[in-house]
Amino acid sequence: MAGALRRKSGRYDTVWLGCDGSGQSKSYAERLFAYPSVGPLSRADAFKALQDPAQAAGAPFTTDALEEVFRITEGYPYFVQELGYISWNQAHGPSITLPDIQTATPMAIDRLDANFFRVRFDRLTPSEKTFLRAIAELGAGPYRFRDVATGMGVESSTLGPVRAKMIKDGMIYSPAHGLLNFTVPIFDGFLRRIMPDQAILDEG
């Protein structure tokens, strides 16, 4: 997998080679995603990163399994790594199939919740958590900024500072005027799980 990424971007080498299972490496991998310029893999590159080493080991992914990994991860290298790794360990047949991916997905999400997403979440202030949770409440992105404000029952202008801070910190970005989106996939689901009632958490 590292080989496929090395040909695409030198930065991706660090993402893959840093994922050795330790808490320190996961935090480092998470920090890389504070910069949207790292970006996701294309569909073809994500497929290649998974399929080349799997085929070499005699246990290829089926096409529908690859499609499902890409759909869930949206091509983010660390997420592809997590889901591919768990799927490999869970598979029992001569190939890694769609049911294997479906079995592995909740496990991969649990790992991301506990490590990747939790690191990001714990750095936020209560007001930042509430703002991001209000975005997540709207479902799949991108999101209209005014809809976020409406959902929170406030004027858009009052959310300007927290919006700017979250963009600066790499939590969200603006794909077009008036729109917001999370910089990494699946984060909206994490926010809904960890803040099911949109409660404002206390400082400290």
Side-chain angles (χ1 to χ4, degrees), residues 64-97:
D64 55 355
L66 291 170
E67 293 283 3
E68 181 69 357
V69 172
F70 188 72
R71 183 188 70 81
I72 292 168
T73 65
E74 299 180 26
Y76 272 77
Y78 185 55
F79 297 2
V80 173
Q81 167 88 358
E82 285 288 293
L83 186 50
Y85 168 76
I86 295 173
S87 299
W88 174 275
N89 287 335
Q90 292 298 312
H92 299 293
S95 61
I96 302 171
T97 65

Side-chain angles (χ1 to χ4, degrees), residues 17-114:
L17 298 178
C19 297
D20 64 359
S22 69
Q24 182 178 1
S25 66
K26 285 187 172 66
S27 294
Y28 181 60
E30 184 276 330
R31 286 198 299 273
L32 291 178
F33 284 94
Y35 304 94
S37 61
V38 171
L41 296 174
S42 69
R43 178 177 176 274
D45 283 338
F47 280 25
K48 184 175 181 61
L50 290 168
Q51 190 71 292
D52 282 3
Q55 283 184 330
F61 286 80
T62 61
T63 300
D64 55 355
L66 291 170
E67 293 283 3
E68 181 69 357
V69 172
F70 188 72
R71 183 188 70 81
I72 292 168
T73 65
E74 299 180 26
Y76 272 77
Y78 185 55
F79 297 2
V80 173
Q81 167 88 358
E82 285 288 293
L83 186 50
Y85 168 76
I86 295 173
S87 299
W88 174 275
N89 287 335
Q90 292 298 312
H92 299 293
S95 61
I96 302 171
T97 65
L98 177 60
D100 294 324
I101 305 301
Q102 292 168 335
T103 297
T105 296
M107 303 177 196
I109 290 175
D110 284 347
R111 283 168 59 99
L112 291 171
D113 280 1

Side-chain angles (χ1 to χ4, degrees), residues 5 13-14 38-39 47 104 111 125 144 150 162 186 190:
L5 293 172
D13 288 343
T14 309
V38 171
F47 280 25
R111 283 168 59 99
T125 67
R144 294 192 300 179
T150 298
V162 68
I186 321 176
F190 167 78

